[in-house]
Amino acid sequence: MRNVKCTIYNQSEEILFPLYHAYYLSFAYSPAEYEVESLWSDKALNPIYFETKQKYDKLKINVYFKKANLSDISKFSEQLKYCEITLDSELTGGKTFQCILKSSDVVKASSHIYTVAFDFECIVFGEEHEIEVTSATTSFSVYGAKETEAIISFENTTDLLISPASINEYSVINLLPSEKIIIDGMKKLVTSNGQNAYDRTSFFNFPRFKPGENAITVTGSAKITIQYRERY
């Protein structure tokens, strides 16, 4: 595992290990487990209540600190609270882990030399995809293994007002020439030029799509694109 490259980003900026006298050692990954809850009445063939809940995936990153002190470790740990980790390994297939730091275990090997095990709960992402759909599009495929959040963009590339434009239950009204309205299911925002545009849309839940084939119905003349990241 020592030859595996570990890259960590915090708010789109790479965390540079040498700044903290830190060196990546190894990792351990455990896929999420499922938790099943059910309620059965006496002699019932089917449950009254049945639900499965998936826990977070687990990721452990082991880091070596040389010529360091506890202040270096503390500053490094602070950067890891919310981060994205990519491991260039056959085991993980180059996937990205969106992580929350849950705990760390510091072991002092000798003067100014420490090893630290950082334990994360994470969501695993694969490649990013962008698909343009039209009124002739009846379905599109989502790659990955789990349902994923998506971003839907409505862009007016004409010189005329477009109202309405829609894809399935997601619709916008009064789309001005050259305007783009974005329904962001990842950040839970609706914007136009960075400003709140929720009142110009109609939908109940932010967009999510299941893995595999998804049927869609598109109306209006806006340019509509769907962006998503594979979920595993």
Side-chain angles (χ1 to χ4, degrees), residues 119-182:
D119 288 294
F120 300 90
E121 288 185 344
C122 55
I123 297 172
V124 185
F125 290 101
E127 294 183 15
E128 297 183 10
H129 297 269
E130 182 173 314
I131 304 158
E132 183 175 341
V133 298
T134 69
S135 57
T137 308
T138 58
S139 67
F140 74 99
S141 294
V142 170
Y143 300 98
K146 297 177 184 176
E147 188 175 73
T148 186
E149 298 164 332
I151 301 170
I152 301 177
S153 301
F154 298 82
E155 183 178 4
N156 187 347
T157 58
T158 75
D159 295 327
L160 303 172
L161 180 75
I162 297 176
S163 186
S166 69
I167 171 173
N168 290 5
E169 69 268 35
Y170 305 97
S171 65
V172 302
I173 59 171
N174 300 328
L175 192 62
L176 301 172
S178 302
E179 184 182 24
K180 179 189 285 188
I181 292 179
I182 300 171

Coordinates of all heavy atoms in Angstrom, one line a residue, residues 119-182:
D119 N -9.8 8.2 11.1 CA -11.0 7.4 10.7 C -12.1 8.3 10.2 O -12.5 9.3 10.8 CB -11.5 6.6 11.9 CG -10.6 5.4 12.3 OD1 -10.5 4.5 11.4 OD2 -10.0 5.5 13.3
F120 N -12.6 7.9 9.0 CA -13.6 8.7 8.3 C -14.9 7.9 8.0 O -14.8 6.7 7.8 CB -13.1 9.2 6.9 CG -11.9 10.1 7.0 CD1 -10.6 9.5 6.9 CD2 -12.0 11.5 7.1 CE1 -9.5 10.3 6.9 CE2 -10.8 12.3 7.1 CZ -9.6 11.7 7.0
E121 N -16.0 8.6 8.0 CA -17.2 8.1 7.4 C -17.3 8.8 6.1 O -17.1 10.0 6.0 CB -18.5 8.4 8.3 CG -18.5 7.6 9.5 CD -19.8 7.8 10.3 OE1 -20.5 8.8 10.0 OE2 -20.1 6.9 11.2
C122 N -17.7 8.1 5.0 CA -17.7 8.7 3.7 C -18.7 8.2 2.7 O -19.3 7.1 2.9 CB -16.3 8.4 3.1 SG -15.8 6.7 3.0
I123 N -18.9 9.0 1.7 CA -19.7 8.6 0.5 C -18.7 8.4 -0.6 O -17.8 9.3 -0.8 CB -20.7 9.7 0.2 CG1 -21.7 9.8 1.4 CG2 -21.5 9.4 -1.1 CD1 -22.7 11.0 1.2
V124 N -18.9 7.4 -1.5 CA -18.0 7.1 -2.5 C -18.5 7.5 -3.9 O -19.6 7.1 -4.2 CB -17.6 5.6 -2.5 CG1 -16.5 5.3 -3.6 CG2 -17.2 5.1 -1.2
F125 N -17.7 8.3 -4.6 CA -18.1 8.8 -5.9 C -17.2 8.3 -7.0 O -16.0 8.1 -6.7 CB -18.1 10.3 -5.9 CG -19.2 11.0 -5.1 CD1 -18.9 11.5 -3.9 CD2 -20.5 11.1 -5.6 CE1 -19.9 12.2 -3.1 CE2 -21.5 11.7 -4.9 CZ -21.2 12.2 -3.6
G126 N -17.7 8.1 -8.2 CA -16.9 7.8 -9.3 C -16.8 9.0 -10.3 O -16.6 10.1 -9.8
E127 N -16.9 8.7 -11.6 CA -16.7 9.8 -12.5 C -17.9 10.8 -12.6 O -19.0 10.4 -12.2 CB -16.5 9.2 -13.9 CG -15.2 8.4 -14.1 CD -15.1 7.9 -15.5 OE1 -15.8 8.3 -16.4 OE2 -14.2 7.0 -15.7
E128 N -17.6 12.0 -13.1 CA -18.7 13.0 -13.3 C -19.2 12.8 -14.7 O -18.4 12.5 -15.6 CB -18.1 14.4 -13.1 CG -17.7 14.6 -11.6 CD -17.2 16.1 -11.4 OE1 -17.4 16.9 -12.3 OE2 -16.7 16.3 -10.4
H129 N -20.5 13.1 -14.9 CA -21.1 13.0 -16.2 C -22.0 14.2 -16.5 O -22.6 14.7 -15.5 CB -22.0 11.7 -16.3 CG -21.2 10.4 -16.2 ND1 -20.7 9.8 -17.3 CD2 -20.9 9.7 -15.1 CE1 -20.1 8.7 -16.9 NE2 -20.2 8.6 -15.6
E130 N -22.0 14.6 -17.7 CA -22.9 15.7 -18.1 C -23.7 15.3 -19.4 O -23.0 14.9 -20.4 CB -22.1 17.0 -18.4 CG -23.0 18.2 -18.8 CD -22.3 19.5 -18.9 OE1 -21.5 19.8 -18.0 OE2 -22.5 20.2 -19.9
I131 N -25.0 15.4 -19.4 CA -25.8 14.9 -20.5 C -26.7 16.0 -20.9 O -27.4 16.6 -20.1 CB -26.7 13.7 -20.0 CG1 -25.8 12.6 -19.5 CG2 -27.5 13.2 -21.2 CD1 -26.5 11.6 -18.6
E132 N -26.8 16.3 -22.2 CA -27.7 17.3 -22.7 C -28.9 16.5 -23.3 O -28.8 15.5 -24.0 CB -27.1 18.1 -23.9 CG -28.0 19.2 -24.4 CD -27.3 20.1 -25.4 OE1 -26.1 20.1 -25.4 OE2 -28.1 20.8 -26.2
V133 N -30.1 17.0 -22.9 CA -31.4 16.3 -23.3 C -32.2 17.3 -24.1 O -32.2 18.5 -23.9 CB -32.1 15.7 -22.1 CG1 -31.3 14.6 -21.4 CG2 -32.5 16.8 -21.1
T134 N -33.1 16.7 -25.0 CA -34.0 17.5 -25.8 C -35.4 16.9 -25.7 O -35.6 15.8 -25.0 CB -33.6 17.5 -27.2 OG1 -33.7 16.2 -27.8 CG2 -32.1 18.0 -27.4
S135 N -36.3 17.5 -26.4 CA -37.7 16.9 -26.4 C -37.8 15.6 -27.0 O -38.7 14.8 -26.8 CB -38.6 17.9 -27.1 OG -38.2 18.1 -28.4
A136 N -36.7 15.2 -27.8 CA -36.7 13.9 -28.4 C -36.1 12.8 -27.5 O -36.1 11.6 -27.8 CB -35.9 14.0 -29.7
T137 N -35.5 13.2 -26.4 CA -34.9 12.3 -25.4 C -35.9 11.7 -24.6 O -36.7 12.4 -23.9 CB -33.8 13.0 -24.6 OG1 -32.9 13.7 -25.4 CG2 -33.1 12.0 -23.8
T138 N -36.0 10.4 -24.5 CA -37.0 9.7 -23.7 C -36.4 9.0 -22.5 O -37.1 8.6 -21.5 CB -37.7 8.6 -24.5 OG1 -36.8 7.7 -25.1 CG2 -38.5 9.3 -25.7
S139 N -35.1 8.8 -22.4 CA -34.4 8.2 -21.3 C -32.9 8.5 -21.3 O -32.4 8.9 -22.4 CB -34.6 6.7 -21.3 OG -34.0 6.1 -22.4
F140 N -32.3 8.3 -20.2 CA -30.8 8.4 -20.1 C -30.3 7.4 -19.1 O -31.1 7.1 -18.2 CB -30.3 9.8 -19.9 CG -30.6 10.3 -18.5 CD1 -29.5 10.3 -17.5 CD2 -31.8 10.8 -18.0 CE1 -29.7 10.7 -16.2 CE2 -32.0 11.2 -16.7 CZ -31.0 11.2 -15.8
S141 N -29.0 7.1 -19.2 CA -28.5 6.1 -18.2 C -27.6 6.8 -17.2 O -26.9 7.7 -17.4 CB -27.6 5.1 -19.0 OG -28.4 4.3 -19.9
V142 N -27.8 6.3 -15.9 CA -27.0 6.7 -14.8 C -26.0 5.6 -14.5 O -26.5 4.5 -14.2 CB -27.8 7.1 -13.6 CG1 -27.0 7.3 -12.4 CG2 -28.6 8.4 -13.9
Y143 N -24.7 5.8 -14.5 CA -23.7 4.8 -14.1 C -23.5 4.8 -12.6 O -23.6 5.9 -12.0 CB -22.4 5.1 -14.9 CG -22.6 5.0 -16.4 CD1 -22.8 6.2 -17.2 CD2 -22.7 3.8 -17.1 CE1 -23.0 6.1 -18.5 CE2 -22.9 3.7 -18.4 CZ -23.0 4.9 -19.2 OH -23.2 4.8 -20.5
G144 N -23.0 3.7 -12.1 CA -22.8 3.6 -10.7 C -23.6 2.5 -10.1 O -24.3 1.8 -10.8
A145 N -23.7 2.5 -8.7 CA -24.4 1.4 -8.1 C -25.5 1.9 -7.1 O -26.3 1.1 -6.7 CB -23.4 0.6 -7.2
K146 N -25.5 3.2 -6.9 CA -26.5 3.8 -6.0 C -27.2 5.0 -6.6 O -26.7 5.6 -7.5 CB -25.8 4.2 -4.7 CG -25.2 3.0 -3.9 CD -24.5 3.5 -2.6 CE -23.8 2.4 -1.9 NZ -23.0 2.9 -0.7
E147 N -28.3 5.3 -6.0 CA -29.0 6.6 -6.4 C -28.2 7.8 -6.1 O -27.5 7.8 -5.1 CB -30.3 6.7 -5.6 CG -31.3 7.8 -6.1 CD -32.6 7.8 -5.3 OE1 -32.6 8.2 -4.1 OE2 -33.6 7.4 -5.9
T148 N -28.2 8.7 -7.1 CA -27.3 9.9 -6.9 C -28.0 11.2 -7.1 O -28.9 11.3 -7.8 CB -26.1 9.8 -7.9 OG1 -25.1 10.8 -7.7 CG2 -26.6 9.9 -9.4
E149 N -27.5 12.2 -6.4 CA -28.0 13.6 -6.5 C -27.5 14.1 -7.9 O -26.5 13.8 -8.4 CB -27.6 14.4 -5.4 CG -28.1 13.9 -4.0 CD -27.3 14.5 -2.9 OE1 -26.2 14.9 -3.0 OE2 -27.9 14.6 -1.8
A150 N -28.3 15.1 -8.4 CA -28.0 15.6 -9.7 C -28.2 17.1 -9.8 O -28.9 17.7 -8.9 CB -28.8 14.9 -10.8
I151 N -27.6 17.7 -10.8 CA -27.8 19.1 -11.1 C -28.5 19.2 -12.5 O -28.1 18.6 -13.4 CB -26.5 19.9 -11.2 CG1 -25.7 19.8 -9.8 CG2 -26.7 21.4 -11.5 CD1 -24.3 20.3 -9.9
I152 N -29.6 20.0 -12.5 CA -30.3 20.2 -13.8 C -30.2 21.7 -14.1 O -30.6 22.5 -13.3 CB -31.8 19.8 -13.7 CG1 -31.9 18.3 -13.3 CG2 -32.5 20.1 -15.0 CD1 -33.4 17.8 -13.2
S153 N -29.8 22.0 -15.3 CA -29.6 23.4 -15.8 C -30.6 23.6 -17.0 O -30.6 22.8 -17.9 CB -28.2 23.6 -16.2 OG -27.3 23.4 -15.2
F154 N -31.2 24.8 -16.9 CA -32.1 25.2 -18.0 C -31.5 26.5 -18.5 O -31.4 27.5 -17.8 CB -33.5 25.5 -17.5 CG -34.2 24.3 -16.9 CD1 -34.0 23.9 -15.6 CD2 -35.2 23.6 -17.6 CE1 -34.7 22.9 -15.0 CE2 -35.9 22.5 -17.1 CZ -35.6 22.2 -15.8
E155 N -31.1 26.5 -19.8 CA -30.5 27.6 -20.4 C -31.2 28.1 -21.7 O -31.6 27.3 -22.5 CB -29.0 27.3 -20.8 CG -28.3 28.5 -21.4 CD -26.8 28.2 -21.7 OE1 -26.4 27.0 -21.6 OE2 -26.1 29.1 -22.1
N156 N -31.5 29.4 -21.7 CA -32.2 30.0 -22.9 C -31.2 30.5 -23.9 O -30.5 31.5 -23.6 CB -33.1 31.1 -22.4 CG -34.0 31.6 -23.6 OD1 -33.8 31.3 -24.7 ND2 -35.0 32.4 -23.2
T157 N -31.0 29.8 -25.0 CA -30.0 30.1 -26.0 C -30.7 30.9 -27.2 O -30.1 31.1 -28.2 CB -29.3 28.9 -26.5 OG1 -30.3 28.0 -27.1 CG2 -28.5 28.2 -25.4
T158 N -32.0 31.3 -27.0 CA -32.7 32.0 -28.0 C -32.8 33.5 -27.7 O -32.3 33.9 -26.6 CB -34.1 31.4 -28.2 OG1 -35.0 31.8 -27.1 CG2 -34.1 29.9 -28.2
D159 N -33.5 34.2 -28.5 CA -33.7 35.7 -28.3 C -35.1 35.9 -27.7 O -35.5 37.1 -27.5 CB -33.5 36.5 -29.6 CG -32.1 36.4 -30.1 OD1 -31.2 36.4 -29.3 OD2 -32.0 36.4 -31.4
L160 N -35.8 34.9 -27.4 CA -37.2 35.0 -26.9 C -37.3 34.4 -25.5 O -36.5 33.6 -25.0 CB -38.1 34.2 -27.8 CG -38.1 34.6 -29.3 CD1 -39.0 33.6 -30.1 CD2 -38.6 36.0 -29.5
L161 N -38.3 34.9 -24.8 CA -38.7 34.4 -23.5 C -39.2 32.9 -23.6 O -40.0 32.6 -24.5 CB -39.7 35.3 -22.8 CG -40.2 34.8 -21.4 CD1 -39.1 35.2 -20.4 CD2 -41.5 35.5 -21.1
I162 N -38.7 32.0 -22.7 CA -39.2 30.7 -22.7 C -39.9 30.4 -21.4 O -39.4 30.6 -20.3 CB -38.0 29.7 -22.8 CG1 -37.3 29.8 -24.1 CG2 -38.5 28.2 -22.6 CD1 -36.1 28.9 -24.3
S163 N -41.2 30.0 -21.5 CA -42.0 29.7 -20.3 C -43.2 28.8 -20.7 O -44.0 29.2 -21.6 CB -42.5 31.0 -19.7 OG -43.1 30.8 -18.5
P164 N -43.2 27.6 -20.2 CA -42.3 27.0 -19.3 C -41.3 26.1 -20.0 O -41.4 25.9 -21.2 CB -43.2 26.1 -18.4 CG -44.2 25.6 -19.3 CD -44.5 26.8 -20.3
A165 N -40.3 25.5 -19.3 CA -39.5 24.5 -19.8 C -39.4 23.5 -18.7 O -39.3 23.8 -17.5 CB -38.1 25.0 -20.1
S166 N -39.4 22.2 -19.0 CA -39.4 21.2 -18.0 C -38.8 19.9 -18.4 O -38.6 19.6 -19.5 CB -40.9 20.9 -17.6 OG -41.5 20.2 -18.6
I167 N -38.4 19.1 -17.3 CA -37.9 17.7 -17.5 C -38.6 17.0 -16.3 O -38.3 17.3 -15.1 CB -36.4 17.6 -17.5 CG1 -36.0 16.1 -17.5 CG2 -35.7 18.4 -16.4 CD1 -34.5 15.8 -17.7
N168 N -39.4 16.0 -16.6 CA -40.2 15.3 -15.6 C -40.9 16.4 -14.7 O -41.5 17.3 -15.2 CB -39.3 14.4 -14.8 CG -38.9 13.2 -15.7 OD1 -39.2 13.1 -16.9 ND2 -38.2 12.2 -15.1
E169 N -40.7 16.3 -13.4 CA -41.4 17.2 -12.5 C -40.7 18.5 -12.3 O -41.2 19.4 -11.5 CB -41.7 16.5 -11.1 CG -40.5 16.2 -10.3 CD -39.9 14.9 -10.5 OE1 -39.9 14.4 -11.6 OE2 -39.4 14.3 -9.5
Y170 N -39.6 18.7 -12.9 CA -38.8 19.9 -12.7 C -39.0 20.9 -13.8 O -38.8 20.6 -15.0 CB -37.3 19.6 -12.6 CG -37.0 18.5 -11.6 CD1 -36.9 17.2 -11.9 CD2 -36.9 18.8 -10.2 CE1 -36.6 16.2 -11.0 CE2 -36.7 17.9 -9.3 CZ -36.6 16.5 -9.6 OH -36.3 15.6 -8.7
S171 N -39.6 22.1 -13.4 CA -39.9 23.0 -14.5 C -39.5 24.4 -14.0 O -39.4 24.7 -12.8 CB -41.4 23.0 -14.8 OG -42.2 23.4 -13.7
V172 N -39.2 25.3 -15.0 CA -38.9 26.7 -14.8 C -39.9 27.6 -15.6 O -40.4 27.1 -16.6 CB -37.5 27.0 -15.1 CG1 -36.5 26.2 -14.3 CG2 -37.2 26.9 -16.6
I173 N -40.1 28.8 -15.2 CA -40.9 29.8 -15.9 C -40.1 31.0 -16.2 O -39.1 31.4 -15.5 CB -42.2 30.1 -15.2 CG1 -41.9 30.7 -13.8 CG2 -43.1 28.9 -15.0 CD1 -43.1 31.3 -13.1
N174 N -40.5 31.7 -17.2 CA -40.0 33.1 -17.6 C -38.5 33.0 -17.7 O -37.8 33.9 -17.0 CB -40.4 34.1 -16.5 CG -42.0 34.2 -16.5 OD1 -42.6 34.1 -17.5 ND2 -42.5 34.5 -15.3
L175 N -37.9 32.1 -18.5 CA -36.5 32.0 -18.7 C -36.1 33.1 -19.7 O -36.5 33.0 -20.9 CB -36.2 30.6 -19.1 CG -34.7 30.2 -19.2 CD1 -34.1 30.3 -17.8 CD2 -34.5 28.8 -19.7
L176 N -35.3 34.1 -19.3 CA -35.0 35.2 -20.2 C -33.9 34.8 -21.2 O -33.2 33.8 -21.0 CB -34.5 36.4 -19.3 CG -35.5 36.9 -18.3 CD1 -34.7 37.9 -17.4 CD2 -36.7 37.5 -19.0
P177 N -33.8 35.5 -22.3 CA -32.7 35.2 -23.3 C -31.4 35.2 -22.6 O -31.1 36.1 -21.8 CB -32.9 36.4 -24.3 CG -34.3 36.8 -24.2 CD -34.7 36.6 -22.8
S178 N -30.6 34.2 -22.9 CA -29.2 34.1 -22.4 C -29.2 33.7 -20.9 O -28.1 33.6 -20.3 CB -28.3 35.3 -22.6 OG -28.3 35.6 -24.0
E179 N -30.3 33.5 -20.2 CA -30.3 33.2 -18.8 C -30.2 31.7 -18.6 O -30.6 30.9 -19.4 CB -31.7 33.7 -18.2 CG -31.7 33.4 -16.7 CD -33.0 33.9 -16.1 OE1 -34.0 34.0 -16.8 OE2 -33.1 34.2 -14.9
K180 N -29.6 31.3 -17.5 CA -29.5 29.9 -17.1 C -30.0 29.8 -15.6 O -29.5 30.5 -14.7 CB -28.1 29.4 -17.2 CG -27.9 27.9 -16.7 CD -26.5 27.5 -16.6 CE -25.9 27.3 -18.0 NZ -24.5 26.7 -17.9
I181 N -31.0 28.9 -15.4 CA -31.4 28.6 -14.1 C -30.9 27.2 -13.7 O -31.1 26.2 -14.5 CB -33.0 28.7 -13.9 CG1 -33.4 30.1 -14.1 CG2 -33.5 28.1 -12.6 CD1 -34.9 30.3 -14.0
I182 N -30.3 27.1 -12.5 CA -29.7 25.8 -12.1 C -30.4 25.3 -10.9 O -30.5 26.0 -9.8 CB -28.2 26.0 -11.8 CG1 -27.5 26.5 -13.0 CG2 -27.6 24.7 -11.3 CD1 -26.1 26.9 -12.8

